[in-house]
Amino acid sequence: MLDPKPFATLLLIGIAAMASAPSHANEPLPQLIGKPRPATAPHRPIEISPQLAARVGHQVWLNETGGNHDAITAWNASEDFASLGIGHFIWFSEGLKSRFQESFPQMLSFLRARGAKPPAWLDKSPVPSSPWHTKRQFQRAFNSARMKGLRRFLHQTKGLQAQFLALRMNEALPKLLASLPSARQRTHVRRQFERVTAASKDLYPLIDYINFKGEGISPKETFPNRKTGRPEGWGLKSVLLAMNGTSKEPRAVLAEFADAARFALLRRIANNPRDKRWQKGWMARVETYRHPLR
């Protein structure tokens, strides 16, 4: 039986906190440059219920898999690791070195700490390395009893996995503020972040976008503008910097967030034209941010 108590509240961490958080499988590992900025007042607690987390988890799963039941366990093209769960959390085989940050062990530990019971071969501390070293090995095992059991477990814990993603969202703002060079920018980003959290009871737009494209705090998470050469990003920081509204009306705020996400992603495509192959899917995904989850 899963313990429901820890589900109810996730606290936004104070601005001074600089705890690490997992990155999305397809984005570079963020690196903070320089020393943290001076601390400011912490945020009020933000609550997300288990029922809401289940809906968020289901939508994130749809975004990542297109609704393909079996795609909750995947091995993406041109990658050297498995991607598992609603957020396609990365899991390395023993000895693998990568520029990406492994996140499946942290996610699984989070689930176990909250009462989830994984298959016996995974119910260990520390979490073992992935048993699949190559995509061919993974594909051969795809219909094995072990893999089917893993998929059942991952589908049964979508809501808890969403809570793990929500924790990353809660930890994002201190990192965003620490990466900005001016007080004006820090004030602007904090104000826009708070507008979105106030407008979105399910917190889905922030939870999904951070999982989708990261915080955007690393210089690696940029492409040079093809005309000016200026580095331009596409992570959450860039989205919030592109927002300029003041309205507190939820529909207006969510529409503005979706428009800013669309702007950041289209700018990425303009700066890196080979990404145009993803444009249709990316635009469909950001459109889901305009309305609360049903």
Side-chain angles (χ1 to χ4, degrees), residues 62-83:
L62 287 175
N63 293 344
E64 291 289 342
T65 68
N68 182 343
H69 183 276
D70 289 348
I72 204 164
T73 58
W75 191 299
N76 297 324
S78 303
E79 292 182 344
D80 298 322
F81 42 76
S83 297

Side-chain angles (χ1 to χ4, degrees), residues 27-28 209 213 215-239 241-242 263-273 275 282:
E27 300 302 329
Y209 197 85
K213 290 301 175 192
E215 290 92 343
I217 59 177
S218 169
K220 294 180 180 180
E221 296 177 286
T222 62
F223 286 121
N225 182 288
R226 292 172 68 84
K227 292 182 178 179
T228 68
R230 178 183 177 183
E232 294 175 330
W234 55 83
L236 180 63
K237 180 171 74 172
S238 294
V239 174
L241 284 170
F263 165 80
L265 293 173
L266 288 175
R267 185 175 65 182
R268 167 172 165 164
I269 292 168
N271 293 336
N272 190 51
D275 284 340
W282 288 358

